[in-house]
Amino acid sequence: MILRWWRYALLVALAGGLLAAILAALIVSLIYPQLPSLEILTDYRPKIPLRIYTADGSLIGEFGEERRALVKIEDVPTTMRHAILAAEDDRFYQHGGVDYMGVARAAIANLTAGGAREGASTITMQVARNFFLSSEKTLTRKVSEVMLAMKIEHKLSKDQILELYINQIYLGQRSYGFAAASQLYFGKPLSQLNIAESAMLAGLPKAPSRYNPVVNPKRAKIRQQYVLKRMFSLRYIKEGEYQTALKQTLHIRHDLQVAEVRADHIAELVRQNLYERYHEQIYSSGIKVYTTLRRTDQEAANEALRQGVLDYDRRHGYRGPEGFTDLPKNDAGMDEAVESALADLDEVAGLEPAVVFDANLKRLLAYTKDMEKIEINGDGLRFAQKSLVANVDSKQRIRRGSIIRITQDNKGKWQIAQLPQAEAALVSVDPLDGAIRSMAGGFDYNRNKFNHVTQAWRQPGSSFKPFVYSAALEKGFTPATIINDAPLSLPGGAAGEAWEPKNFDGSYAGPIRLRTALTKSKNLVSIRILQSITPEYAQDYITRFGFDAAQHPPYLTMALGAGSVTPLQMVAGYSVFANGGYRVQPYFIDRIVDSHGKVLMQSKPARAGESAERVIDARNAFVMTSLMQDVVRLGTATKAMQLGRQDLAGKTGTTNDQIDAWFCGFNSRLVAVAWIGFDRPRSLGGNETGGHAALPIWVSYMGKALKNVPESNYPPPEGISVIKINPQNGQIDDKGIPEFFYQEFPPPAQSMWGEEPGSIMGGKSTDEIKDQLF
């Protein structure tokens, strides 16, 4: 009886096994032919975003639905691979696509836990799911996943499968693949990640949103610790490495920018330009754009602009905390309180938000967004010293619960800071062809996307005078021409009153040379020059430099820069002086390349001395450069002499009530323009001139951009005479100082009031001359 029972049981088992095999074969026969082709894996073409680079290959921006950066398996560090295997599939190199031991282990764990706590998907199965299948949880999909995994294992090597996984898996914040996530979260390539950072990334595939280190730092830390423990238990890392990694502080990037150098304003210009050419395909076809920017120039521009704005802001005092929050009386609940208070505040140009939990005149303690405890004392408190006094106005006082900004100085010491209210712009170009070498369109792009280089129409003030003086040279004026720097009273003022323009300093020098007048930026001389050549002539003449005549009405106020310009227009205009008289068009795209390296577009800019249009006489450009060199050596821009160069030329600019401050300067290799002001125009303050507020930005940039660049030479072009003149009356004097003249416009031999041959006013009566010049 017992034997029959065992035979019966065995027969049933065999029949059941046979039935299962038949059923499995039926399922395979039905499903396998419907499995997709693996061509998408063997010819892997992911959606690659538009990427924008500097001329020397540094990434400045990317645009696309998916953030991706492809990496070959041999370029993935061993530590990163081990972290992935520890987190997702430690038997990856042993199984054939389905880990039956893993399935059994997961089943036991789930039965023990009383529910589905652990999965058994292998890396190969995840590749199958990510490339071919939906996320629906059905038996058919699971069977398809298993069969696809086997098919993939049969077709591809283990390293090929792992490479696909590393490049394809979603890791949060629109980033796909570990290379993209490394740049996104840590701002560095995979090759530079340490063990702790690798474990953090390896923990993301399980639940990218739940374990996102930016959004959920606590959960991300727990997941990272689990991965580290697995790496240690699998002997991928030693105990010392394990303990060090557990304690290591991770510096997560909260701005989530992947760029190697910040040039957001020009990156957006590139995106707009590419969209006009290729439309939506730019976001997924892997197009690369190489701009004309140079990394060192752009970094120097960013630093110079930000420091210039911060310096200006500090000169005008601390305005008080950004806000206040209630903190618990003890450490319990402190993390949640700080996290809540700073949740919507991001770092801006190195200015980190922080919550104060203790403050007095000698010491301030605060928590950052990462719950790092910061102590500030000594010089770090000086900027906000008045706000630490107990009896100060409650809105300005720094106390427990104050939300402030802090930053680190060059030595790494923390200090109190604040978000500046002023804005600025800095742009530089190569004057030979107009290639834009740097563009900083504002203090921080994420805070204010308005591009002040291309979009800010502002009054240029005295920085516009060189264009008027250039026009005067074509009308017979010379650097030695004597013009009276004296008060004027003209009709056309407000409310029917006379217009009585003044020099900035309120003083008048009397009859002076044109060279001295530009060097000292004498307003009254500029107005008299414009009177002589006529505003209508000047309005037409400035179009040679690329200015729009409609933005510069033909009135005498043009001499004071009362029209409207953008910094980009100004840098193009000054390039004409720098390159010897040619008009070049600023441009920022050097070439466009497709995903296969084929060049789609190569810029061919017009070059000075070759295909560019000559718009002013070479002699004019030379003389104007000489005049503006004196502005730097002797005039309103002497701060530029700290660079220790003799080839710099330029002009400061300050508008009425110090609303706009400019400096436009150059040598023959580089032209740069700096501007500072408020978006809603208001005074920068009494002493905030172009030389005080804008020039330091320019000097800081040019000091780095021209480092190791030989000084320029400015040989006089053909048609220039060097004649010694008396500096007091502008007449020829063998014992005088040398001055440059057009050969056809030499200085007078006697008195400029006569009609001697060579007088620039020859043929006119004394009264006519006086009417025009005085």
Side-chain angles (χ1 to χ4, degrees):
M1 290 292 292
I2 295 175
L3 185 60
R4 290 180 183 176
W5 184 86
W6 278 109
R7 286 179 179 177
Y8 178 76
L10 180 61
L11 184 62
V12 171
L14 290 173
L18 181 62
L19 182 62
I22 294 172
L23 183 62
L26 181 62
I27 293 174
V28 169
S29 65
L30 291 173
I31 296 179
Y32 194 86
Q34 298 181 33
L35 293 178
S37 166
L38 299 186
E39 185 179 353
I40 191 174
L41 301 183
T42 56
D43 187 22
Y44 182 47
R45 295 184 182 183
K47 293 181 179 179
I48 305 298
L50 164 67
R51 286 202 173 90
I52 305 166
Y53 298 87
T54 61
D56 38 9
S58 294
L59 182 67
I60 64 174
E62 69 174 33
F63 298 90
E65 299 173 6
E66 302 174 356
R67 289 172 166 147
R68 289 186 184 274
L70 299 185
V71 60
K72 293 185 177 298
I73 190 65
E74 57 265 26
D75 296 327
V76 180
T78 302
T79 299
M80 186 72 252
R81 278 185 270 178
H82 282 165
I84 294 169
L85 296 177
E88 296 296 321
D89 187 358
D90 62 280
R91 284 178 35 82
F92 172 70
Y93 282 95
Q94 284 76 50
H95 63 66
V98 179
D99 185 5
Y100 299 106
M101 290 179 61
V103 171
R105 183 177 62 240
I108 293 171
N110 292 336
L111 285 172
T112 304
R117 294 293 183 87
E118 196 172 312
S121 286
T122 64
I123 284 177
T124 312
M125 292 167 68
Q126 291 184 57
V127 168
R129 183 164 64 245
N130 288 330
F131 277 93
F132 301 107
L133 303 173
S134 68
S135 58
E136 63 177 347
K137 296 181 179 181
T138 63
L139 180 61
T140 301
R141 197 225 69 183
K142 194 64 180 177
V143 172
S144 297
E145 184 180 307
V146 169
M147 296 177 67
L148 265 172
M150 293 177 176
K151 185 176 182 179
I152 291 170
E153 290 272 349
H154 180 72
K155 185 76 174 178
L156 304 176
S157 70
K158 285 289 187 179
D159 280 352
Q160 287 176 313
I161 296 169
L162 185 58
E163 181 179 294
L164 286 167
Y165 177 83
I166 287 172
N167 283 309
Q168 180 70 16
I169 195 71
Y170 179 64
L171 298 172
Q173 304 292 154
R174 295 191 298 112
S175 66
Y176 288 78
F178 285 89
S182 179
Q183 287 287 355
L184 181 71
Y185 293 116
F186 298 111
K188 61 176 80 170
L190 282 176
S191 59
Q192 295 180 16
L193 293 184
N194 58 40
I195 295 173
E197 292 165 338
S198 298
M200 178 67 78
L201 291 187
L204 288 171
K206 183 177 178 65
S209 297
R210 181 178 177 82
Y211 299 124
N212 186 316
V214 176
V215 180
N216 297 307
K218 289 183 180 179
R219 291 175 180 171
K221 185 66 177 177
I222 293 171
R223 177 65 176 166
Q224 179 223 28
Q225 291 171 344
Y226 164 77
V227 176
L228 288 172
K229 185 176 181 181
R230 289 277 298 151
M231 292 177 74
F232 175 57
S233 66
L234 292 167
R235 299 183 180 179
Y236 290 150
I237 57 176
K238 298 177 182 178
E239 184 172 3
E241 294 173 317
Y242 173 54
Q243 295 298 335
T244 299
L246 283 175
K247 298 173 184 177
Q248 196 159 9
T249 301
L250 298 183
H251 299 284
I252 305 296
R253 298 180 65 195
H254 290 279
D255 60 1
L256 298 180
Q257 293 288 324
V258 297
E260 296 174 279
V261 57
R262 301 301 293 264
D264 299 292
H265 290 95
I266 206 163
E268 174 58 18
L269 288 178
V270 172
R271 186 200 66 80
Q272 293 174 13
N273 185 287
L274 267 289
Y275 188 83
E276 291 177 2
R277 294 169 184 259
Y278 306 112
H279 308 294
E280 292 292 335
Q281 66 173 303
I282 67 171
Y283 301 122
S284 59
S285 57
I287 290 176
K288 295 180 180 179
V289 179
Y290 291 88
T291 67
T292 58
L293 297 187
R294 294 187 296 218
R295 178 169 183 162
T296 53
D297 285 64
Q298 185 61 35
E299 289 177 336
N302 291 341
E303 183 181 349
L305 182 145
R306 288 178 174 178
Q307 193 58 53
V309 173
L310 290 173
D311 288 345
Y312 165 81
D313 192 66
R314 291 180 75 87
R315 288 197 294 271
H316 293 268
Y318 188 65
R319 295 182 295 274
E322 287 185 33
F324 299 92
T325 189
D326 292 326
L327 293 180
K329 295 181 179 180
N330 49 49
D331 289 343
M334 181 68 75
D335 288 9
E336 290 77 9
V338 172
E339 184 178 336
S340 175
L342 303 180
D344 297 327
L345 299 177
D346 294 320
E347 175 190 320
V348 176
L351 305 178
E352 292 193 32
V355 176
V356 175
F357 67 91
D358 188 33
N360 55 51
L361 286 169
K362 295 183 178 181
R363 187 184 72 161
L364 181 144
L365 299 175
Y367 282 117
T368 66
K369 208 166 188 176
D370 293 328
M371 289 308 297
E372 183 180 359
K373 192 174 182 179
I374 302 296
E375 179 175 343
I376 304 176
N377 49 43
D379 289 342
L381 300 174
R382 186 171 299 172
F383 176 47
Q385 200 77 48
K386 293 181 179 179
S387 291
L388 293 168
V389 179
N391 60 355
V392 75
D393 182 274
S394 60
K395 292 182 180 179
Q396 291 188 319
R397 185 186 170 199
I398 297 177
R399 52 179 171 79
R400 182 180 175 86
S402 294
I403 299 173
I404 63 171
R405 295 279 170 167
I406 58 175
T407 191
Q408 287 180 293
D409 61 19
N410 294 331
K411 297 180 180 179
K413 293 185 177 180
W414 289 97
Q415 56 187 357
I416 297 176
Q418 68 183 352
L419 293 178
Q421 295 177 340
E423 273 292 354
L426 179 65
V427 59
S428 65
V429 304
D430 182 337
L432 293 180
D433 62 2
I436 295 175
R437 296 307 187 191
S438 68
M439 180 186 289
F443 184 75
D444 185 87
Y445 180 80
N446 292 324
R447 184 182 177 212
N448 184 353
K449 292 178 172 55
F450 187 77
N451 190 339
H452 296 84
V453 169
T454 61
Q455 296 175 289
W457 288 87
R458 310 294 293 224
Q459 289 188 341
S462 295
S463 64
F464 200 73
K465 288 177 181 176
F467 305 108
V468 175
Y469 278 59
S470 175
L473 294 181
E474 295 305 303
K475 282 291 191 177
F477 281 76
T478 77
T481 301
I482 303 296
I483 304 109
N484 195 14
D485 178 33
L488 268 175
S489 182
L490 300 168
E497 297 181 359
W499 180 50
E500 296 181 345
K502 293 177 171 49
N503 289 326
F504 179 79
D505 61 4
S507 66
Y508 303 93
I512 58 174
R513 287 179 296 144
L514 179 145
R515 177 180 289 275
T516 304
L518 186 63
T519 300
K520 302 299 182 183
S521 199
K522 294 294 187 178
N523 290 340
L524 275 299
V525 171
S526 299
I527 292 170
R528 284 187 165 90
I529 289 174
L530 188 58
Q531 277 184 307
S532 177
I533 66 174
T534 75
E536 290 75 17
Y537 174 76
Q539 183 191 39
D540 177 69
Y541 185 85
I542 64 172
T543 61
R544 303 183 186 194
F545 299 89
F547 296 109
D548 180 1
Q551 297 290 339
H552 302 271
Y555 305 124
L556 292 178
T557 51
M558 186 196 302
L560 306 182
S564 294
V565 298
T566 66
L568 189 63
Q569 286 184 329
M570 292 295 279
V571 82
Y574 273 77
S575 293
V576 177
F577 297 131
N579 65 30
Y582 298 91
R583 182 176 172 183
V584 293
Q585 186 67 38
Y587 73 103
F588 50 84
I589 294 178
D590 177 62
R591 67 188 185 278
I592 302 171
V593 180
D594 70 12
S595 59
H596 301 291
K598 179 182 177 181
V599 177
L600 302 176
M601 188 280 286
Q602 177 70 59
S603 292
K604 297 179 180 179
R607 289 183 60 84
E610 298 176 7
S611 53
E613 178 188 5
R614 175 174 287 286
V615 291
I616 65 172
D617 193 309
R619 299 172 300 173
N620 190 304
F622 171 79
V623 171
M624 288 305 307
T625 296
S626 171
L627 293 176
M628 286 187 277
Q629 281 183 287
D630 271 7
V631 174
V632 171
R633 293 169 182 164
L634 307 168
T636 57
T638 54
K639 287 180 182 178
M641 291 302 294
Q642 66 186 261
L643 296 179
R645 302 180 67 101
Q646 299 299 317
D647 62 341
L648 302 177
K651 184 70 185 74
T652 53
T654 312
T655 62
N656 285 343
D657 299 322
Q658 293 75 54
I659 289 175
D660 296 280
W662 296 79
F663 185 74
C664 309
F666 61 92
N667 73 357
S668 67
R669 305 286 294 276
L670 193 65
V671 184
V673 168
W675 164 87
I676 185 169
F678 291 98
D679 280 341
R680 292 186 177 181
R682 60 185 174 91
S683 178
L684 287 164
N687 193 40
E688 300 293 351
T689 62
H692 193 59
L695 178 57
I697 298 174
W698 187 91
V699 169
S700 175
Y701 166 70
M702 292 294 267
K704 296 181 179 68
L706 294 179
K707 186 178 181 180
N708 300 323
V709 176
E711 289 197 12
S712 302
N713 294 317
Y714 300 105
E718 187 176 346
I720 285 287
S721 297
V722 181
I723 302 173
K724 289 185 177 181
I725 54 106
N726 183 321
Q728 302 302 316
N729 59 25
Q731 298 175 31
I732 295 176
D733 186 341
D734 291 340
K735 297 180 180 180
I737 61 174
E739 185 57 274
F740 299 112
F741 296 89
Y742 286 16
Q743 287 181 352
E744 64 267 34
F745 295 137
Q750 299 177 25
S751 169
M752 70 176 295
W753 303 124
E755 297 183 12
E756 305 86 349
S759 169
I760 66 167
M761 292 303 187
K764 294 187 178 182
S765 69
T766 299
D767 288 340
E768 289 176 312
I769 296 171
K770 288 181 178 179
D771 286 343
Q772 292 195 10
L773 296 186
F774 290 82

